[in-house]
Amino acid sequence: MQCPSKRLVLLTFLLFIGLSVPCMAGNVTTVPNIPIINQSLAAFDILSDSEVEYAPPDSEYYTAAAEYQVFETCAKCTGPAALAKKVRVTTYPMITDSDLADPVYLGRANGVKVDLFPEGDLDSLQGTLGSYEADATRIAGDLFTGDLGTRTAFVAIFFRDGNPDTHSARFILNAADAAKFGDTWDDGCYIRFRDWSEASVSAEEITGYEEPGAALEATGPVLTLGESPLLATCDQEELKQKMRETTDDLATTVSSLTLTAGDKDQNKVATLALDLADAARSYATDYEGLEVPAGADSARADFVMALDAYQDAGSALWYGVTCANTTVYGEGATLLTEARDTMNGVLGVFDLQTLDDPTLELPSTEVYPDALDFGKGHIYFDAGKVHKLSVRPESYTFTKSYEAGDEEVTAPYGKTFIMVLVDVNYLGFYGGGSSRAKVPAPQTFSLINGGETYAPATVSASYIEGVGTVYRSVTIDREDRRAIGFLVFEVPESLDPANAYLQTKLGAGSSPVWALE
């Protein structure tokens, strides 16, 4: 077990000296103006690790121990919980009398509610459904599988955007549903949306991506407790009709997605991939809650398996396009085929028409199948069809700082600069206007990597010391045939050139893409 951070040890100390009062029955525990996670107190940081004693609250004191556990877990999260500068933990006493208690709480005496208030901008992955689920799963898992597990009736996690009365996401897990997952939960896994006791998210704020293959699977028996929920029922003919309609709907989305991929409209591919994942997720939830004839239960389970595969396919394709990751994009293409084959097996059982349309497979497993090799020129005509030009990225280099004129620029912590040398050449004049042509502006170029698109930085000087000329929007003609210079992009230090692309939008449908490697 890793040693806890100083801020967590200090927080425990503050709880016991009275700066924070243990919460019971709805009283809120919070530490006003003290950074609970992701920050440290300067006065406390002067202590060395050898001077800090690891003293978490005794699990006998449920409220204090639950608080400490939540704070410690949040410090390990990587999604929106990692940005929560304010965390509020509330505990509630539960009725444990066997005649009165809700059976789903397994006779346990305490419920825990966690309110998280993320601050700052989430990156493209932190703002996804899977990231919210993973953080909520980690919090619930540490409470249910740790020392407090046998006394925890439910865990409710709310993500809030500063307003304590509204939430962007809510996940609730009771003890009976937690028992389905056994005693060991992997940190990298998440509980599917439909497998929480209750869950809701804001579709406008949260992207419906979930990491394929990382969903936590039930390993223990499903406990049947209390009154069974009312399920929608259907006979075999109604089930066949429902499956036919579901299949047609998904096939329409998949066909649009694959045709769009063939047209190389990656932004629309990403949108349609999420539409597929969202639709498959919704359908899977509907079919899980459907009461079907006993003879059709196995087919229903296989159909849900196909829907899960479509959901994973949509998520993988979205990730592959958004993060320019060809490997994951290829996995999405494979999942798309597997989902179709699984669904065809079920359709065959019911003598329904199978999915055999060739448009239901992706034409390529490459994110940018027509990406040019770095260093290769792209020839194009300007908007007036008067001038023929070529644009070519020659090379790139990384640096933490640079000097340009009187300015010395250093990249912020965790960032670096990538400088891309771009060469534009004048190839021909076809009459009908001025013989002078304007080269593409710096703002028409962008660097794509890790789900983010980076625009060139503005460099006021015309020359970067030890590097070369800054790329500018200038005019060239038959006499002055060339414009060359460096574009400067501020990017994360973790940027991997193997998954990075340079793009320029030249108008008239011309948007060449180069793979850096």
Side-chain angles (χ1 to χ4, degrees):
M1 181 175 181
Q2 291 185 339
C3 216
S5 64
K6 294 176 183 177
R7 62 177 176 273
L8 293 175
V9 178
L10 175 61
L11 185 56
T12 304
F13 176 67
L14 295 175
L15 289 172
F16 284 101
I17 66 172
L19 289 183
S20 178
V21 180
C23 54
M24 295 180 62
N27 292 327
V28 174
T29 295
T30 186
V31 186
N33 302 320
I34 292 180
I36 294 175
I37 53 179
N38 291 343
Q39 294 183 13
S40 60
L41 293 173
F44 190 65
D45 279 346
I46 63 174
L47 299 177
S48 67
D49 291 338
S50 62
E51 295 175 297
V52 178
E53 181 180 357
Y54 177 36
D58 192 299
S59 60
E60 178 184 352
Y61 304 101
Y62 186 91
T63 295
E67 271 196 328
Y68 184 88
Q69 181 62 71
V70 170
F71 296 152
E72 186 176 48
T73 301
C74 287
K76 297 184 292 185
C77 287
T78 58
L83 298 181
K85 298 296 192 297
K86 181 180 178 183
V87 178
R88 185 172 62 192
V89 180
T90 313
T91 62
Y92 301 89
M94 309 302 296
I95 296 174
T96 57
D97 185 282
S98 59
D99 293 326
L100 302 175
D102 190 326
V104 299
Y105 297 144
L106 304 185
R108 299 177 183 179
N110 302 276
V112 182
K113 179 185 176 187
V114 180
D115 292 293
L116 300 159
F117 298 83
E119 296 180 12
D121 296 328
L122 303 177
D123 65 31
S124 57
L125 292 179
Q126 284 179 318
T128 63
L129 173 61
S131 188
Y132 279 85
E133 288 172 331
D135 283 358
T137 299
R138 175 169 270 183
I139 293 169
D142 283 354
L143 287 169
F144 275 120
T145 63
D147 293 339
L148 304 180
T150 57
R151 289 183 285 156
T152 301
F154 72 82
V155 178
I157 301 112
F158 290 76
F159 292 88
R160 305 188 184 277
D161 297 326
N163 186 340
D165 298 322
T166 62
H167 59 267
S168 55
R170 173 187 66 125
F171 302 95
I172 300 175
L173 193 67
N174 62 47
D177 286 332
K180 295 184 300 186
F181 303 108
D183 295 329
T184 57
W185 300 22
D186 294 332
D187 284 344
C189 290
Y190 62 87
I191 296 175
R192 285 190 184 93
F193 188 77
R194 68 172 183 264
D195 290 333
W196 291 89
S197 306
E198 296 181 42
S200 63
V201 297
S202 169
E204 293 77 21
E205 299 179 37
I206 297 175
T207 303
Y209 164 81
E210 295 174 299
E211 183 181 351
L216 195 61
E217 301 293 343
T219 58
V222 177
L223 303 179
T224 303
L225 302 168
E227 296 182 5
S228 299
L230 295 176
L231 301 177
T233 60
C234 65
D235 58 30
Q236 186 141 313
E237 286 305 311
E238 290 172 332
L239 179 61
K240 288 169 63 175
Q241 178 63 25
K242 185 177 178 67
M243 286 182 172
R244 183 184 298 112
E245 292 172 354
T246 300
T247 302
D248 289 345
D249 182 38
L250 293 177
T252 299
T253 301
V254 173
S255 183
S256 296
L257 189 157
T258 57
L259 292 172
T260 301
D263 292 337
K264 306 174 184 64
D265 186 346
Q266 301 299 340
N267 289 334
K268 191 173 181 182
V269 169
T271 299
L272 289 169
L274 281 183
D275 288 346
L276 175 63
D278 290 340
R281 182 184 303 110
S282 178
Y283 279 130
T285 301
D286 289 345
Y287 279 88
E288 283 277 6
L290 195 63
E291 185 175 346
V292 300
D297 197 57
S298 177
R300 187 267 304 273
D302 288 343
F303 198 77
V304 171
M305 187 185 304
L307 292 171
D308 286 342
Y310 271 123
Q311 178 186 328
D312 283 349
S315 286
L317 293 173
W318 175 85
Y319 182 96
V321 170
T322 303
C323 298
N325 189 311
T326 292
T327 300
V328 177
Y329 189 79
E331 291 171 358
T334 301
L335 285 166
L336 207 58
T337 302
E338 291 176 356
R340 182 201 60 189
D341 293 344
T342 302
M343 190 162 281
N344 278 344
V346 179
L347 297 175
V349 169
F350 289 120
D351 294 324
L352 297 172
Q353 182 177 351
T354 56
L355 300 171
D356 300 315
D357 191 326
T359 66
L360 299 183
E361 292 189 16
L362 286 171
S364 172
T365 58
E366 297 288 331
V367 178
Y368 294 103
D370 295 330
L372 300 171
D373 291 336
F374 206 77
K376 185 173 182 179
H378 171 77
I379 298 173
Y380 70 101
F381 283 92
D382 65 358
K385 304 293 183 182
V386 174
H387 305 283
K388 186 178 183 180
L389 303 101
S390 74
V391 58
R392 177 172 68 94
E394 285 194 0
S395 61
Y396 65 86
T397 185
F398 289 94
T399 183
K400 282 292 292 182
S401 62
Y402 63 87
E403 293 183 27
D406 297 330
E407 188 177 21
E408 183 172 347
V409 183
T410 300
Y413 176 77
K415 303 285 187 178
T416 190
F417 297 110
I418 180 171
M419 298 187 175
V420 181
L421 182 61
V422 175
D423 186 3
V424 181
N425 280 272
Y426 190 99
L427 301 181
F429 173 61
Y430 290 79
S434 170
S435 64
R436 297 188 64 78
K438 199 170 187 66
V439 304
Q443 292 75 23
T444 64
F445 291 87
S446 58
L447 195 69
I448 304 168
N449 177 260
E452 302 295 335
T453 299
Y454 303 95
T458 299
V459 182
S460 55
S462 60
Y463 187 81
I464 300 174
E465 293 293 330
V467 178
T469 303
V470 176
Y471 181 85
R472 291 279 189 258
S473 180
V474 298
T475 56
I476 55 178
D477 57 21
R478 287 176 290 185
E479 301 300 324
D480 184 16
R481 304 180 67 90
R482 190 181 188 199
I484 188 169
F486 283 90
L487 294 167
V488 180
F489 297 92
E490 182 185 296
V491 297
E493 286 183 329
S494 59
L495 183 139
D496 180 5
N499 288 317
Y501 299 83
L502 179 72
Q503 182 178 42
T504 183
K505 297 182 179 180
L506 303 172
S510 180
S511 299
V513 175
W514 290 268
L516 265 63
E517 290 190 359

PDB file of all heavy atoms in Angstrom, residues 295-311:
ATOM      1  N   GLY A 295     -38.158 -19.508 -23.176  1.00  0.00           N
ATOM      2  CA  GLY A 295     -37.397 -20.049 -24.289  1.00  0.00           C
ATOM      3  C   GLY A 295     -36.601 -19.016 -25.048  1.00  0.00           C
ATOM      4  O   GLY A 295     -35.725 -19.364 -25.856  1.00  0.00           O
ATOM      5  N   ALA A 296     -36.901 -17.746 -24.810  1.00  0.00           N
ATOM      6  CA  ALA A 296     -36.221 -16.678 -25.551  1.00  0.00           C
ATOM      7  C   ALA A 296     -35.175 -15.967 -24.711  1.00  0.00           C
ATOM      8  O   ALA A 296     -34.533 -15.031 -25.187  1.00  0.00           O
ATOM      9  CB  ALA A 296     -37.257 -15.664 -26.061  1.00  0.00           C
ATOM     10  N   ASP A 297     -34.999 -16.409 -23.462  1.00  0.00           N
ATOM     11  CA  ASP A 297     -34.096 -15.683 -22.560  1.00  0.00           C
ATOM     12  C   ASP A 297     -32.646 -15.741 -23.046  1.00  0.00           C
ATOM     13  O   ASP A 297     -31.916 -14.752 -22.973  1.00  0.00           O
ATOM     14  CB  ASP A 297     -34.193 -16.266 -21.150  1.00  0.00           C
ATOM     15  CG  ASP A 297     -33.619 -15.315 -20.114  1.00  0.00           C
ATOM     16  OD1 ASP A 297     -34.093 -14.169 -20.042  1.00  0.00           O
ATOM     17  OD2 ASP A 297     -32.683 -15.714 -19.403  1.00  0.00           O
ATOM     18  N   SER A 298     -32.217 -16.883 -23.561  1.00  0.00           N
ATOM     19  CA  SER A 298     -30.846 -17.012 -24.045  1.00  0.00           C
ATOM     20  C   SER A 298     -30.611 -16.113 -25.255  1.00  0.00           C
ATOM     21  O   SER A 298     -29.559 -15.456 -25.361  1.00  0.00           O
ATOM     22  CB  SER A 298     -30.561 -18.467 -24.414  1.00  0.00           C
ATOM     23  OG  SER A 298     -29.262 -18.603 -24.949  1.00  0.00           O
ATOM     24  N   ALA A 299     -31.575 -16.056 -26.166  1.00  0.00           N
ATOM     25  CA  ALA A 299     -31.446 -15.192 -27.348  1.00  0.00           C
ATOM     26  C   ALA A 299     -31.414 -13.731 -26.933  1.00  0.00           C
ATOM     27  O   ALA A 299     -30.664 -12.930 -27.511  1.00  0.00           O
ATOM     28  CB  ALA A 299     -32.600 -15.456 -28.313  1.00  0.00           C
ATOM     29  N   ARG A 300     -32.218 -13.392 -25.937  1.00  0.00           N
ATOM     30  CA  ARG A 300     -32.214 -12.018 -25.440  1.00  0.00           C
ATOM     31  C   ARG A 300     -30.834 -11.658 -24.878  1.00  0.00           C
ATOM     32  O   ARG A 300     -30.301 -10.578 -25.116  1.00  0.00           O
ATOM     33  CB  ARG A 300     -33.301 -11.849 -24.372  1.00  0.00           C
ATOM     34  CG  ARG A 300     -33.521 -10.400 -23.888  1.00  0.00           C
ATOM     35  CD  ARG A 300     -32.701 -10.055 -22.649  1.00  0.00           C
ATOM     36  NE  ARG A 300     -32.927 -10.949 -21.547  1.00  0.00           N
ATOM     37  CZ  ARG A 300     -33.895 -10.787 -20.652  1.00  0.00           C
ATOM     38  NH1 ARG A 300     -34.692  -9.742 -20.724  1.00  0.00           N
ATOM     39  NH2 ARG A 300     -34.032 -11.658 -19.660  1.00  0.00           N
ATOM     40  N   ALA A 301     -30.232 -12.587 -24.117  1.00  0.00           N
ATOM     41  CA  ALA A 301     -28.901 -12.352 -23.551  1.00  0.00           C
ATOM     42  C   ALA A 301     -27.858 -12.159 -24.653  1.00  0.00           C
ATOM     43  O   ALA A 301     -26.988 -11.285 -24.561  1.00  0.00           O
ATOM     44  CB  ALA A 301     -28.507 -13.515 -22.641  1.00  0.00           C
ATOM     45  N   ASP A 302     -27.947 -12.969 -25.719  1.00  0.00           N
ATOM     46  CA  ASP A 302     -27.014 -12.820 -26.845  1.00  0.00           C
ATOM     47  C   ASP A 302     -27.240 -11.492 -27.563  1.00  0.00           C
ATOM     48  O   ASP A 302     -26.283 -10.861 -28.045  1.00  0.00           O
ATOM     49  CB  ASP A 302     -27.179 -13.974 -27.832  1.00  0.00           C
ATOM     50  CG  ASP A 302     -26.627 -15.291 -27.292  1.00  0.00           C
ATOM     51  OD1 ASP A 302     -25.854 -15.252 -26.318  1.00  0.00           O
ATOM     52  OD2 ASP A 302     -26.988 -16.356 -27.840  1.00  0.00           O
ATOM     53  N   PHE A 303     -28.482 -11.076 -27.640  1.00  0.00           N
ATOM     54  CA  PHE A 303     -28.794  -9.805 -28.296  1.00  0.00           C
ATOM     55  C   PHE A 303     -28.194  -8.642 -27.504  1.00  0.00           C
ATOM     56  O   PHE A 303     -27.634  -7.709 -28.078  1.00  0.00           O
ATOM     57  CB  PHE A 303     -30.310  -9.643 -28.411  1.00  0.00           C
ATOM     58  CG  PHE A 303     -30.741  -8.619 -29.428  1.00  0.00           C
ATOM     59  CD1 PHE A 303     -30.715  -8.906 -30.783  1.00  0.00           C
ATOM     60  CD2 PHE A 303     -31.179  -7.368 -29.025  1.00  0.00           C
ATOM     61  CE1 PHE A 303     -31.116  -7.967 -31.731  1.00  0.00           C
ATOM     62  CE2 PHE A 303     -31.579  -6.423 -29.958  1.00  0.00           C
ATOM     63  CZ  PHE A 303     -31.546  -6.719 -31.310  1.00  0.00           C
ATOM     64  N   VAL A 304     -28.296  -8.722 -26.172  1.00  0.00           N
ATOM     65  CA  VAL A 304     -27.675  -7.692 -25.323  1.00  0.00           C
ATOM     66  C   VAL A 304     -26.161  -7.716 -25.501  1.00  0.00           C
ATOM     67  O   VAL A 304     -25.508  -6.666 -25.527  1.00  0.00           O
ATOM     68  CB  VAL A 304     -28.060  -7.910 -23.842  1.00  0.00           C
ATOM     69  CG1 VAL A 304     -27.242  -6.995 -22.926  1.00  0.00           C
ATOM     70  CG2 VAL A 304     -29.545  -7.653 -23.637  1.00  0.00           C
ATOM     71  N   MET A 305     -25.588  -8.913 -25.654  1.00  0.00           N
ATOM     72  CA  MET A 305     -24.147  -9.020 -25.889  1.00  0.00           C
ATOM     73  C   MET A 305     -23.763  -8.301 -27.190  1.00  0.00           C
ATOM     74  O   MET A 305     -22.744  -7.602 -27.256  1.00  0.00           O
ATOM     75  CB  MET A 305     -23.739 -10.494 -25.964  1.00  0.00           C
ATOM     76  CG  MET A 305     -22.226 -10.723 -26.037  1.00  0.00           C
ATOM     77  SD  MET A 305     -21.823 -12.490 -26.280  1.00  0.00           S
ATOM     78  CE  MET A 305     -22.677 -13.201 -24.861  1.00  0.00           C
ATOM     79  N   ALA A 306     -24.592  -8.455 -28.216  1.00  0.00           N
ATOM     80  CA  ALA A 306     -24.337  -7.757 -29.480  1.00  0.00           C
ATOM     81  C   ALA A 306     -24.451  -6.250 -29.304  1.00  0.00           C
ATOM     82  O   ALA A 306     -23.653  -5.480 -29.860  1.00  0.00           O
ATOM     83  CB  ALA A 306     -25.311  -8.241 -30.554  1.00  0.00           C
ATOM     84  N   LEU A 307     -25.429  -5.822 -28.528  1.00  0.00           N
ATOM     85  CA  LEU A 307     -25.595  -4.386 -28.262  1.00  0.00           C
ATOM     86  C   LEU A 307     -24.385  -3.836 -27.510  1.00  0.00           C
ATOM     87  O   LEU A 307     -23.916  -2.729 -27.795  1.00  0.00           O
ATOM     88  CB  LEU A 307     -26.874  -4.148 -27.458  1.00  0.00           C
ATOM     89  CG  LEU A 307     -28.187  -4.424 -28.205  1.00  0.00           C
ATOM     90  CD1 LEU A 307     -29.369  -4.375 -27.239  1.00  0.00           C
ATOM     91  CD2 LEU A 307     -28.395  -3.422 -29.343  1.00  0.00           C
ATOM     92  N   ASP A 308     -23.870  -4.606 -26.555  1.00  0.00           N
ATOM     93  CA  ASP A 308     -22.662  -4.179 -25.836  1.00  0.00           C
ATOM     94  C   ASP A 308     -21.481  -4.047 -26.802  1.00  0.00           C
ATOM     95  O   ASP A 308     -20.651  -3.135 -26.678  1.00  0.00           O
ATOM     96  CB  ASP A 308     -22.317  -5.166 -24.724  1.00  0.00           C
ATOM     97  CG  ASP A 308     -23.253  -5.049 -23.519  1.00  0.00           C
ATOM     98  OD1 ASP A 308     -23.924  -4.007 -23.389  1.00  0.00           O
ATOM     99  OD2 ASP A 308     -23.308  -6.008 -22.720  1.00  0.00           O
ATOM    100  N   ALA A 309     -21.396  -4.973 -27.763  1.00  0.00           N
ATOM    101  CA  ALA A 309     -20.317  -4.910 -28.740  1.00  0.00           C
ATOM    102  C   ALA A 309     -20.461  -3.671 -29.625  1.00  0.00           C
ATOM    103  O   ALA A 309     -19.472  -3.018 -29.969  1.00  0.00           O
ATOM    104  CB  ALA A 309     -20.302  -6.176 -29.597  1.00  0.00           C
ATOM    105  N   TYR A 310     -21.695  -3.340 -30.007  1.00  0.00           N
ATOM    106  CA  TYR A 310     -21.914  -2.117 -30.787  1.00  0.00           C
ATOM    107  C   TYR A 310     -21.545  -0.877 -29.973  1.00  0.00           C
ATOM    108  O   TYR A 310     -20.984   0.081 -30.493  1.00  0.00           O
ATOM    109  CB  TYR A 310     -23.373  -2.018 -31.238  1.00  0.00           C
ATOM    110  CG  TYR A 310     -23.642  -2.684 -32.572  1.00  0.00           C
ATOM    111  CD1 TYR A 310     -24.594  -3.693 -32.695  1.00  0.00           C
ATOM    112  CD2 TYR A 310     -22.946  -2.294 -33.716  1.00  0.00           C
ATOM    113  CE1 TYR A 310     -24.843  -4.311 -33.917  1.00  0.00           C
ATOM    114  CE2 TYR A 310     -23.195  -2.900 -34.937  1.00  0.00           C
ATOM    115  CZ  TYR A 310     -24.137  -3.907 -35.035  1.00  0.00           C
ATOM    116  OH  TYR A 310     -24.372  -4.508 -36.247  1.00  0.00           O
ATOM    117  N   GLN A 311     -21.877  -0.920 -28.680  1.00  0.00           N
ATOM    118  CA  GLN A 311     -21.508   0.206 -27.814  1.00  0.00           C
ATOM    119  C   GLN A 311     -19.992   0.342 -27.745  1.00  0.00           C
ATOM    120  O   GLN A 311     -19.440   1.442 -27.880  1.00  0.00           O
ATOM    121  CB  GLN A 311     -22.079  -0.006 -26.419  1.00  0.00           C
ATOM    122  CG  GLN A 311     -21.707   1.098 -25.436  1.00  0.00           C
ATOM    123  CD  GLN A 311     -22.156   0.795 -24.021  1.00  0.00           C
ATOM    124  OE1 GLN A 311     -23.181   0.154 -23.827  1.00  0.00           O
ATOM    125  NE2 GLN A 311     -21.395   1.232 -23.040  1.00  0.00           N
TER     126      GLN A 311
END
